[in-house]
Amino acid sequence: MRHFGHIAPEIRNRLFHREPGEFTADSPASLLSVALGATLYSPATRPRLADDVVKQAQHGVASMVLCLEDSIDDADVVGAEENLVAQLSALSAREEGAAAGQLPLLFIRVRHAAQISDLVRRLGPAVRILSGFVMPKFTEERGVPFLEALTAAEAASGRRLFAMPVLESPELLHLETRADTLAGIARTVDKYRDRVLALRLGVTDFCSAYGLRRQPDMTAYDVQIVASVIADVVNVLGRADGTGFTVTGPVWEYFRAQERMFKPQLRNSPFLGRAEELRTALIEHDIDGLLREIGLDRANGLLGKTCIHPSHVLPVHALSVVSHEEFSDAQDILRPERGGGGVLRSAYTNKMNEVKPHRAWAERTLKRAQAFGVAGEDVGFVELLTAGLSGDN
């Protein structure tokens, strides 16, 4: 699979200076953690779950979480497990061979560690289409049993399985326990580093602890108690010195128009003469707030995003594409002859690139380029959004 693979090749050729690379569920973890993109959550109770997975893959979704936790009622867990096993078994049977490579990366969000080994056993050969498990309310104490169960399930099935811990516990939010909790999480995920694909942020649970809910014209970063946790998680777990992990952006909860208190957050200028109707549609569906939050995610060291609606996927992917200017700067910084450091003027003549301080940024940028491609010199997110929407029709 590849990002923007649902768009016709001739359109991709026009949009991209360098097209997104292909990847499969068996690709290296270093690539998959960047390529997750917009991870779409779906309740495991959906009666046509297998069809849903295929449909979303055709619309550009590259990773999905099939949820047995907060998205379903406690009374529905047994039925949801049965449905999940049946749907994944049916999906495996119909997607054998080359077509299996077109499926999204599939993860199951479980409630407790015992579900991991039980579900892998019940799936049998169908485990081949599963990439791993999402582990809720992750702390050192609760996380170790999850990771031990994952390791055992991997050995029993012979299938590589990844963990995606969700950082959302009250101990992480509360100031008096945050440092110890973060240190414990760091110890745990470092011990199981080869198993941990990415760390996910459960911002809805953070807000819940204080009876808060952000409005559609506010981002997670406008809620200061949430922003402080994000900063501390990235500080400890998202470092660029080889000890860090991919940390994904928080969920955006809105997908229909709401009454607004503040002005729309999309400027007119990027849309003038080209896609004013697109701008209006984005505002009407509260996507302008999502776009702003994606930008703040990137600025704060997060990559990818948890999504609960298909309309959120394309904006996440469009804003994950590396701009031609970013790519040019990254390449200049990483030229072998620049190994000794120094300062050079950007090829775009609008900034200075400092080789040593900007090296980690440049390396991350080229990894993102491998997964999401490099836009053409005159191509911006408006063109990517427009083409992506056209590709879905």
Side-chain angles (χ1 to χ4, degrees), residues 301-363:
L302 310 184
L303 184 62
K305 202 163 187 67
T306 294
C307 295
I308 47 83
H309 196 271
S311 65
H312 300 167
V313 172
L314 181 58
V316 173
H317 291 171
L319 288 179
S320 296
V321 174
V322 173
S323 71
H324 188 273
E325 181 174 345
E326 289 176 310
F327 184 66
S328 173
D329 287 341
Q331 282 195 312
D332 282 349
I333 290 166
L334 294 176
R335 291 186 191 281
E337 62 268 26
R338 304 293 185 188
V343 177
L344 58 149
R345 186 174 66 171
S346 166
Y348 274 71
T349 68
N350 60 357
K351 73 179 77 67
M352 300 302 294
N353 291 323
E354 293 192 60
V355 173
K356 289 184 178 179
H358 290 145
R359 178 170 293 276
W361 169 85
E363 291 170 347

Side-chain angles (χ1 to χ4, degrees), residues 207-285:
C207 290
S208 173
Y210 287 87
L212 304 175
R213 186 173 191 178
R214 69 186 190 274
Q215 295 302 305
D217 42 14
M218 294 185 180
T219 71
Y221 302 92
D222 295 314
V223 183
Q224 292 300 302
I225 195 166
V226 169
S228 71
V229 183
I230 294 175
D232 287 346
V233 167
V234 174
N235 190 322
V236 175
L237 298 167
R239 299 176 185 178
D241 60 0
T243 67
F245 296 83
T246 294
V247 182
T248 65
V251 68
W252 182 258
E253 299 178 345
Y254 296 96
F255 49 87
R256 286 198 179 92
Q258 312 286 324
E259 183 177 0
R260 287 177 170 270
M261 291 180 62
F262 302 106
K263 291 181 179 180
Q265 300 177 61
L266 283 180
R267 294 181 297 110
N268 281 299
S269 54
F271 297 88
L272 289 178
R274 296 177 291 177
E276 179 62 30
E277 290 183 2
L278 173 61
R279 178 180 182 273
T280 300
L282 294 173
I283 292 169
E284 287 178 348
H285 291 82

Side-chain angles (χ1 to χ4, degrees), residues 6-8 11 14-15 58-59 278 314 382-393:
H6 64 302
I7 297 176
I11 298 177
R14 187 172 73 245
L15 289 173
Q58 292 171 345
H59 288 266
L278 173 61
L314 181 58
V382 173
E383 287 83 3
L384 292 164
L385 280 171
T386 304
L389 290 170
S390 299
D392 281 345
N393 294 332

Side-chain angles (χ1 to χ4, degrees), residues 47-212:
R48 297 179 60 85
L49 189 60
D51 291 334
D52 293 342
V53 169
V54 173
K55 177 182 177 181
Q56 296 307 328
Q58 292 171 345
H59 288 266
V61 173
S63 61
M64 290 185 69
V65 172
L66 314 177
C67 185
L68 292 167
E69 207 226 0
D70 284 348
S71 68
I72 65 173
D73 191 279
D74 295 346
D76 295 334
V77 174
V78 172
E81 289 180 343
E82 293 173 353
N83 183 63
L84 180 61
V85 171
Q87 296 283 337
L88 288 181
S89 297
L91 186 61
S92 174
R94 71 194 245 192
E95 297 293 324
E96 288 183 357
Q102 303 303 311
L103 292 177
L105 304 173
L106 296 175
F107 301 85
I108 299 173
R109 177 166 169 155
V110 291
R111 293 181 170 223
H112 50 79
Q115 283 180 302
I116 294 176
S117 54
D118 181 57
L119 288 168
V120 168
R121 177 186 59 79
R122 291 161 67 179
L123 283 169
V127 76
R128 73 181 184 87
I129 64 171
L130 189 65
S131 289
F133 291 87
V134 175
M135 302 168 177
K137 299 170 179 61
F138 193 94
T139 62
E140 183 175 29
E141 181 181 3
R142 287 191 289 268
V144 169
F146 276 119
L147 290 166
E148 289 177 343
L150 181 82
T151 302
E154 183 179 79
S157 66
R159 170 67 179 167
R160 182 180 70 168
L161 296 170
F162 288 115
M164 289 204 292
V166 185
L167 310 185
E168 58 186 347
S169 67
E171 299 95 323
L172 181 58
L173 177 63
H174 296 157
L175 185 60
E176 67 273 19
T177 54
R178 185 180 304 171
D180 288 343
T181 302
L182 268 174
I185 292 171
R187 284 192 296 269
T188 304
V189 294
D190 184 62
K191 181 179 178 181
Y192 292 87
R193 177 171 292 274
D194 291 342
R195 300 280 188 274
V196 177
L197 186 62
L199 304 175
R200 312 199 72 87
L201 287 164
V203 165
T204 301
D205 278 42
F206 291 155
C207 290
S208 173
Y210 287 87
L212 304 175

Side-chain angles (χ1 to χ4, degrees), residues 18-52:
R18 178 175 292 185
E19 289 196 23
E22 293 186 347
F23 59 94
T24 73
D26 297 318
S27 294
S30 58
L31 173 58
L32 294 183
S33 66
V34 175
L36 286 168
T39 300
L40 185 64
Y41 275 55
S42 178
T45 50
R46 291 182 66 87
R48 297 179 60 85
L49 189 60
D51 291 334
D52 293 342

